Amino acid sequence: MTALQDKHEKEIKHILAKYPTDEKRSAVMPLLYIAQRKAGYVTKQDMLEIAELLSISTTEVASIVGFYTLYHDKSGGKYRIQVCNDLPCALRGSGQFLEELCENLGVQVGETSSDGILSVEAVMCLAACDKAPMFQVQSHSDISYHENQTVESALQTIEKWRAEETDK
Amino acid sequence: MSKVKGSRILLRHRDIPKLDKLDVYLEDGGFESFKKAVTKMKPDKVTEIVKDSGLRGRGGAGFPTGVKWSFIDANNWPHYVVANADESEPGTFKDREIMEQNPYQFFEGVMLSAYAIQANDAYIYLRGEFWDLAHELDKKIKKLEKSGYLGKKLFGTDYSLNLYTHLGAGAYICGEETALLESMEGKLGQPRLRPPFPPSFGLFGKPTVVNNVETLANVPLIIEKGAKWYRKFGTERSPGTKVFSLSGNVNKPGNYELPLASTFRELIFKHGGGIPDGHAIKAIMAAGASSSLIVANDEALDTPMDYESVQNVGGMLGSASVIVIDETVDISWLVNKTVHFFKHESCGKCTPCREGVFWMSHLTERIDNGSGSREDIVLLQDVANNIQGKCLCALGDFSTQAVVTGIERFPEDFKAKVSPNQAARIKINE
C-alpha cells in the first residue's frame, strides 16, 4: 500500500467505486485533488504513488498535472487568489480591480507574498460574468467563489485569512 | 403537476421558493415523470417524445436531442449518459444557476435520458471550479439514493441507475464532448477524431449520450406535459425556451429565460435595462468569446434569437451567452482579449490551432499595444483564415470568429491602432 492510500483508504475506495473496475485510470483527477490537499501542490512522490495505484506511468500522471490549470507542481500561496480577467469581466472593470488589488497587496500577478500566505493569478472565465469583478480562491483543500467584489471587500477577506494564519 | 409561470421552464426556482430542496421539488410533482417513464413507458417512447418536442442541444451546437439519443448503438453495451457541466465559455453562466438552484429538475433530466437509452450509470462532468457545487450535488445524489429514486431495481422494476459527479480541473476544451470523454477516462482533455461519434463510441469506448445541463433540465417537463405543450414556446424549428446569459456593458447582467426567437432588443433593453451611463451599443457577441461580432444596428437588435435567424445577421446563437459591447470599447482590444483566451485554452493537438492561435496572439498583442503595422492586420486575417476548417474540434474555428469579423466589420478600430506605414514597424523591431 502506498502512503497516499494508507492515509486516505476509505476515500480512495469510494472514488474507485465510481468507475468500472477495468477503467480505474478515470480516478487520476480525483486522486490528484487528494494529493494536493497536503501542501497545495502535487509532489513527484504523489505522482509515483498515483501511477502505481492506477497502473499507469508516472509520465502520464505528470502530463495530467501539466495540462489542467487547477493542479500545481510547485508551491504557491496558501491561498491562490484567482481573479477572472476574461472579456465579460474585463468589460465590467476586472482589469482595474486586479491592478489595484495587486498594488494594495504589494504582489505582482503570478507572484506569492513574502509570508507565503497568498498568491495572485489572472485566470480565464469562471462562469460568474454577471457578478464581476470576482475571484475564486483555491486553498489546499477547496475552491470558493467571491463575487461582486470591490478592492476593499477583497482586502477585508484577505486580511481575515492573514489573521487566521498568524493566530495558528 | 409541475408549476410553470409564464415562460419559465428551467429557472422555475425563481417562482417556487426552495425548489432546491427535495421535499419541495417532490411536492411540485418532481420525479413523477421519471417514475412514470420507468414504470409505464418503453424507453423508445421517451426518446420519441423528446424528438417530437423538437428540443435542440443547448450547449452550443443546437443538435436535436431526441435524434442524438436515437443514434445510440443497441448492439454494444453498456450505455452511458454524461451530462456536460463543464460550462466554460466566456459569458456563459446558466448551467451553474440551474444546478445550484433547480438541481433536482436537472437530475431528473439526466435520469430520464439514462432510462431512454437504458444506461445504468450516468456521470455529471463539472468543471473543477464548480467545487462547492459538485459537493452539494453529491449530497443531493445521496438523498435520492436514500429515497429510492436512484439505485437498484427502481420502483420494483428491473431498471437500476447510479449517478456520479466527476470534477474536471480547469480546461475549456473539456466542454467539447469528445475531449470531455477523454478527460473522464483520466487522459488529457483532447478531442477525438470523429466519426465514430459518442453514441457509437463514447465513454470507455461504449455508446454514450453527452448532453448539456440546460438541455437535460428541459426533459422532465417535456415528458410530463408533452411535446405539443413544449412547442407552444419558441418557433417551429427552434422550439422551447432558452436561458440567455447576459453580460458585458449592460445595466442588469444575469440569466434571463425567454422563449427562443425573442429579440436582442428585448433581452438587452427590456430585461437587461440597457447600456450604462447613456452610452450607445456598438456590438453584440451572441455566443460568448467564440462568436463573431455582430454590428448592433437596428436590424440586428430586432433579430429574433433563434438558431436560424442569428445566422442571418452574421452570428450564431450557440449557447446564447450574449456579451454586450458599448461604443467606448476598442474592438482591437477586445479581439486581443478573446485570442488570449484561446491561446491559453488550445489543447495543443492540432497544429493549425496550436501554432495559429499563438501567432494570432503575437499580432493582436502588437496591434493592441500600438506597435503594429497595417500589414499585421492583413497577416492576422490570413493566419485566421488558415486555421478555419483545419482542426479536429471547433476551438480552432472559434478562435478566429471575433478576429475575422472584428477586422471586417470594425476596420476603423484596427486602423486607428497601427502606424500608417511599414517603416514605423521596422523601427520598432530594431
Side-chain angles (χ1 to χ4, degrees):
Chain A
M1 238 204 286
T2 64
L4 195 72
Q5 210 177 0
D6 209 20
K7 207 169 154 199
H8 305 279
E9 194 186 349
K10 212 175 134 195
E11 199 178 352
I12 291 176
K13 214 172 133 189
H14 179 74
I15 289 169
L16 287 171
K18 286 182 170 186
Y19 312 100
T21 40
D22 51 349
E23 302 287 355
K24 58 183 179 180
R25 180 180 181 154
S26 283
V28 64
M29 292 171 75
L31 293 190
L32 282 168
Y33 279 125
I34 292 183
Q36 200 159 267
R37 257 186 240 158
K38 205 169 33 189
Y41 69 103
V42 186
T43 63
K44 282 259 158 62
Q45 181 61 28
D46 294 327
M47 295 188 212
L48 216 87
E49 289 184 22
I50 291 173
E52 194 190 318
L53 243 157
L54 304 179
S55 313
I56 54 179
S57 72
T58 318
T59 311
E60 283 170 316
V61 179
S63 74
I64 299 285
V65 174
F67 187 86
Y68 296 94
T69 56
L70 291 175
Y71 299 127
H72 310 283
D73 57 5
K74 285 180 202 72
S75 69
K78 192 157 185 194
Y79 297 88
R80 293 175 190 263
I81 301 166
Q82 299 163 339
V83 180
C84 175
N85 191 22
D86 225 332
L87 178 63
C89 278
L91 290 171
R92 303 184 70 80
S94 67
Q96 200 187 341
F97 170 81
L98 178 60
E99 204 174 294
E100 287 177 15
L101 185 67
C102 285
E103 231 167 71
N104 274 283
L105 295 171
V107 180
Q108 300 280 314
V109 175
E111 279 184 358
T112 304
S113 61
S114 51
D115 56 8
I117 290 175
L118 53 98
S119 36
V120 180
E121 299 162 25
V123 299
M124 301 297 151
C125 187
L126 297 173
C129 321
D130 56 336
K131 300 183 181 75
M134 65 82 60
F135 60 91
Q136 73 177 2
V137 177
Q138 185 180 16
S139 72
H140 293 186
S141 56
D142 63 8
I143 295 166
S144 59
Y145 275 38
H146 297 261
E147 303 175 312
N148 293 319
Q149 292 292 303
T150 59
V151 176
E152 293 72 39
S153 65
L155 288 172
Q156 261 174 26
T157 312
I158 294 163
E159 278 320 309
K160 223 163 50 195
W161 300 330
R162 272 222 162 105
E164 277 169 23
E165 290 304 320
T166 31
D167 281 355
K168 272 184 192 169
Chain B
M1 287 292 268
S2 308
K3 271 195 286 297
V4 171
K5 202 173 153 192
S7 61
R8 272 211 280 264
I9 298 175
L10 305 156
L11 306 183
R12 295 194 305 132
H13 53 273
R14 294 185 181 185
D15 304 312
I16 306 165
K18 298 189 178 163
L19 194 58
D20 62 331
K21 304 275 178 262
L22 182 57
D23 52 345
V24 176
Y25 186 69
L26 287 172
E27 207 172 294
D28 181 63
F31 293 108
E32 287 297 327
S33 294
F34 181 60
K35 193 172 173 183
K36 181 173 84 180
V38 173
T39 54
K40 296 192 181 123
M41 290 166 74
K42 288 213 165 93
D44 288 351
K45 182 70 190 164
V46 177
T47 303
E48 199 185 301
I49 296 173
V50 174
K51 225 191 234 179
D52 290 344
S53 75
L55 173 66
R56 296 171 64 169
R58 302 296 196 234
F63 192 83
T65 307
V67 177
K68 194 188 238 184
W69 296 3
S70 68
F71 287 159
I72 202 90
D73 183 353
N75 296 314
N76 189 2
W77 297 86
H79 294 169
Y80 293 105
V81 165
V82 179
N84 184 344
D86 190 58
E87 185 160 66
S88 307
E89 178 68 43
T92 313
F93 44 89
K94 62 189 179 66
D95 296 339
R96 191 180 147 212
E97 178 173 345
I98 293 171
M99 290 186 290
E100 279 178 350
Q101 302 193 49
N102 193 5
Y104 289 110
Q105 186 173 325
F106 159 60
F107 283 152
E108 192 175 358
V110 179
M111 289 151 70
L112 281 161
S113 157
Y115 179 73
I117 65 154
Q118 289 292 289
N120 299 117
D121 292 294
Y123 295 92
I124 301 166
Y125 183 102
L126 296 114
R127 60 178 300 176
E129 293 84 351
F130 289 169
W131 180 275
D132 285 337
L133 174 57
H135 289 84
E136 275 307 310
L137 294 186
D138 281 341
K139 284 186 213 155
K140 293 191 158 73
I141 288 171
K142 279 241 161 63
K143 273 194 188 142
L144 288 179
E145 287 167 352
K146 277 203 184 119
S147 322
Y149 291 99
L150 286 171
K152 288 203 170 71
K153 296 198 179 288
L154 296 172
F155 317 114
T157 68
D158 278 339
Y159 183 65
S160 304
L161 178 61
N162 295 309
L163 187 54
Y164 309 100
T165 60
H166 182 102
L167 265 181
Y172 167 76
I173 189 64
C174 292
E176 195 282 332
E177 61 177 9
T178 62
L180 183 152
L181 295 173
E182 288 286 298
S183 177
M184 266 215 65
E185 291 180 3
K187 301 169 189 159
L188 303 187
Q190 293 185 318
R192 295 174 180 169
L193 178 67
R194 286 159 299 172
F197 291 92
S200 46
F201 188 91
L203 183 63
F204 310 131
K206 297 297 177 187
T208 303
V209 155
V210 185
N211 275 139
N212 167 262
V213 170
E214 184 188 351
T215 312
L216 291 164
N218 277 287
V219 177
L221 274 82
I222 291 174
I223 299 302
E224 180 190 303
K225 297 178 193 292
K228 217 173 128 190
W229 168 82
Y230 190 71
R231 283 185 171 277
K232 284 198 306 196
F233 305 98
T235 68
E236 174 67 28
R237 291 179 65 192
S238 299
T241 64
K242 178 84 192 73
V243 181
F244 295 90
S245 293
L246 183 65
S247 69
N249 300 129
V250 63
N251 279 316
K252 289 190 280 177
N255 286 319
Y256 296 93
E257 182 176 2
L258 306 171
L260 278 157
S262 303
T263 65
F264 283 109
R265 194 187 296 280
E266 202 184 328
L267 174 68
I268 298 167
F269 291 92
K270 187 177 154 198
H271 300 286
I275 317 301
D277 307 323
H279 288 302
I281 183 168
K282 179 174 182 174
I284 299 167
M285 297 179 92
S290 297
S291 12
S292 45
L293 283 148
I294 299 172
V295 180
N297 54 24
D298 282 340
E299 188 202 348
L301 287 172
D302 290 322
T303 298
M305 295 182 290
D306 58 54
Y307 293 99
E308 289 75 31
S309 308
V310 179
Q311 282 181 7
N312 296 338
V313 283
M316 249 184 69
L317 184 64
S319 55
S321 330
V322 179
I323 305 176
V324 180
I325 296 132
D326 76 17
E327 59 185 347
T328 64
V329 177
D330 165 13
I331 299 297
S332 78
W333 166 85
L334 179 147
V335 166
N336 186 39
K337 206 84 188 150
T338 64
V339 169
H340 179 72
F341 171 79
F342 288 107
K343 180 182 111 179
H344 188 267
E345 300 299 340
S346 177
C347 79
K349 184 162 182 167
C350 310
T351 313
C353 173
R354 183 185 64 236
E355 303 297 324
V357 177
F358 264 76
W359 197 355
M360 287 202 301
S361 86
H362 281 304
L363 295 164
T364 57
E365 189 66 42
R366 196 150 74 196
I367 293 167
D368 183 46
N369 71 24
S371 56
S373 74
R374 282 194 172 189
E375 285 197 337
D376 284 339
I377 304 174
V378 180
L379 184 59
L380 176 61
Q381 218 159 5
D382 190 45
V383 177
N385 289 338
N386 280 294
I387 296 173
Q388 287 181 346
K390 295 187 177 67
C391 307
L392 283 183
C393 85
L395 190 144
D397 280 4
F398 287 164
S399 74
T400 68
Q401 296 298 322
V403 175
V404 173
T405 54
I407 296 172
E408 180 192 300
R409 298 172 190 171
F410 301 91
E412 59 288 355
D413 284 30
F414 287 83
K415 279 183 200 144
K417 285 293 260 299
V418 299
S419 350
N421 53 54
Q422 206 190 345
R425 237 297 292 299
I426 295 165
K427 226 179 196 170
I428 286 156
N429 279 353
E430 280 166 3

